[in-house]
Amino acid sequence: CTTDSVAVSNLVLDGNDQVGLGLLDFVPMDSCDYSGTVWPGDANDDGEADIADLLSIGVAFGAQGATRPNATQFWAAQTGIPWGLTFADGTDYVHADCNGSGQVNLDDTLAILANFGQTHPKTSNIPINGNAGLCIEYPPSAMPGDTFMVNLYFGQGVTPPADAYGFAITLSYDRSIIDSARISTDLSNTFMTTQGNDIIDLEVSEDKFHWAISRTNHNDTTFFGRIGGVEMIMIDDLARSIPINITVDDVVVVDSTGTRIAVNLENCGSTPQARFGISTYPNPGSEQVTIMWEDMEPEMVELYDLSGQLKQSWETPANRQVECDTRNYPPGIYLVRVRVPNGTITRKITISR
């Protein structure tokens, strides 16, 4: 679209209703540019505020430009001055400045949370280049109250490792057997950082679980090994061991320019069994309870009361059992937590007199 400066000047009237003030200079535009229309939370300007928008914040992290006048986090088109810095698809960094402060930083993630799932009629064609292989690993079944880990790995299958920058995933799970209020994430042993202060992550737990992780140092890293894990807890009042089914609904990987990398879902190979042979005897107990296990190597065994207070702990027990002295504990329900490399198993014990 263009602007006709003569036509516009003829429409501007002075105080005496005379056309053509003769003091205004209109510069014609050769094309329409909507890059200055910002929807708070849609950092990649693809038409939706979702978990992948964190990756654009990570790519543009620390960049500065013009502030957005009268900026709010309300889901509405807001005018922003383009910064002249762009992602690989040409989208201006002004979209990653979700709060309009003039700098891309962690505060911009708040608009993603405030407007999560909102859409607007605007799409962009984000380029895709290369391939990465993702596999997820989790137990096939678990007992009531068990804690298990959904581990996420790259480069474990046939697809060669790729150099990339950020990762976002959406997982579906059965809310009737998994406690949606107690899902957490784990970045231990992640390949995303060696310092711990050069990554950001964001999680949203609604009907599905959404998680994104991005570097902030503007350098790609090799996506090989464990990127992280999602810890889930089975609901306590289930009657028996229940099969687990976790599915990947969406996954996005980008490099440091914002270019997307195609992702292949692959098989991790062997999958650990969640239902370990853990038993407690006697249960209910009075003065002493024995905690026993098979086919596992616990890193820690802990006993908690229902308020969360740690009562006893045993680090890397050598034998396949520990003796828990309960003589000084008031009657009630206690939780035994056995920490293993791929998760935590929880069992209830009852102390009675």
Side-chain angles (χ1 to χ4, degrees):
C1 59
T2 59
T3 301
D4 187 334
S5 59
V6 175
V8 173
S9 64
N10 285 336
L11 291 174
V12 179
L13 307 179
D14 66 10
N16 296 315
D17 291 340
Q18 300 297 313
V19 300
L21 292 178
L23 299 177
L24 302 179
D25 184 20
F26 296 91
V27 178
M29 296 168 52
D30 293 330
S31 63
C32 292
D33 181 6
Y34 295 102
S35 63
T37 302
V38 177
W39 293 77
D42 184 13
N44 59 11
D45 194 32
D46 69 346
E48 181 177 7
D50 58 19
I51 201 67
D53 287 301
L54 178 88
L55 308 186
S56 293
I57 291 175
V59 170
F61 202 83
Q64 297 183 12
T67 58
R68 193 164 71 245
N70 303 313
T72 71
Q73 289 189 8
F74 293 120
W75 187 248
Q78 301 178 26
T79 302
I81 301 172
W83 291 6
L85 303 170
T86 62
F87 300 106
D89 66 342
T91 298
D92 197 274
Y93 277 14
V94 68
H95 296 278
D97 181 25
C98 296
N99 64 0
S101 67
Q103 182 176 18
V104 179
N105 54 35
L106 197 59
D107 292 341
D108 294 305
T109 62
L110 298 177
I112 299 176
L113 295 174
N115 297 311
F116 197 85
Q118 296 276 17
T119 61
H120 64 92
K122 167 69 172 68
T123 59
S124 60
N125 296 317
I126 300 176
I128 298 178
N129 184 38
N131 286 276
L134 167 70
C135 69
I136 67 171
E137 178 187 72
Y138 60 90
S141 62
M143 293 289 289
D146 276 358
T147 301
F148 66 93
M149 187 73 72
V150 180
N151 287 304
L152 308 171
Y153 295 97
F154 278 92
Q156 307 298 298
V158 297
T159 306
D163 288 340
Y165 191 79
F167 161 80
I169 193 168
T170 297
L171 298 175
S172 287
Y173 62 95
D174 189 344
R175 293 164 61 91
S176 69
I177 64 171
I178 295 172
D179 189 343
S180 60
R182 300 169 68 189
I183 298 177
S184 59
T185 54
D186 172 47
L187 284 169
S188 60
N189 301 317
T190 180
F191 58 72
M192 289 289 282
T193 181
T194 57
Q195 301 174 351
N197 61 353
D198 57 355
I199 60 173
I200 56 175
D201 78 312
L202 182 70
E203 59 187 67
V204 177
S205 184
E206 294 184 334
D207 292 339
K208 302 176 181 180
F209 185 77
H210 312 263
W211 188 27
I213 314 163
S214 177
R215 294 164 66 82
T216 59
N217 60 7
H218 310 293
N219 295 314
D220 289 334
T221 190
T222 301
F223 269 42
F224 180 79
R226 184 179 188 268
I227 193 169
V230 179
E231 187 176 87
M232 297 184 172
I233 301 176
M234 301 292 285
I235 292 175
D236 285 342
D237 59 0
L238 302 174
R240 54 184 174 81
S241 176
I242 299 292
I244 300 170
N245 184 34
I246 309 294
T247 58
V248 177
D249 280 12
D250 190 30
V251 57
V252 176
V253 172
V254 302
D255 66 14
S256 56
T257 71
T259 298
R260 290 195 179 184
I261 297 172
V263 179
N264 302 321
L265 293 180
E266 301 180 333
N267 191 340
C268 284
S270 60
T271 303
Q273 178 71 32
R275 186 179 177 182
F276 297 102
I278 296 178
S279 58
T280 55
Y281 179 82
N283 189 12
S286 178
E287 297 185 351
Q288 179 174 291
V289 174
T290 302
I291 305 167
M292 300 171 286
W293 57 87
E294 296 179 1
D295 301 325
M296 55 184 288
E297 297 180 1
E299 298 172 346
M300 181 78 72
V301 178
E302 299 166 321
L303 180 69
Y304 292 85
D305 63 20
L306 290 182
S307 71
Q309 181 180 4
L310 178 64
K311 309 300 290 186
Q312 291 187 58
S313 65
W314 301 263
E315 185 174 0
T316 318
N319 299 321
R320 292 187 174 182
Q321 67 179 47
V322 294
E323 306 293 339
C324 180
D325 186 350
T326 59
R327 287 175 294 182
N328 295 324
Y329 296 160
I333 296 175
Y334 295 79
L335 300 177
V336 175
R337 291 181 180 170
V338 181
R339 301 184 185 273
V340 292
N342 69 322
T344 304
I345 302 96
T346 304
R347 294 286 185 269
K348 290 181 181 179
I349 63 172
T350 301
I351 305 302
S352 60
R353 295 287 185 264

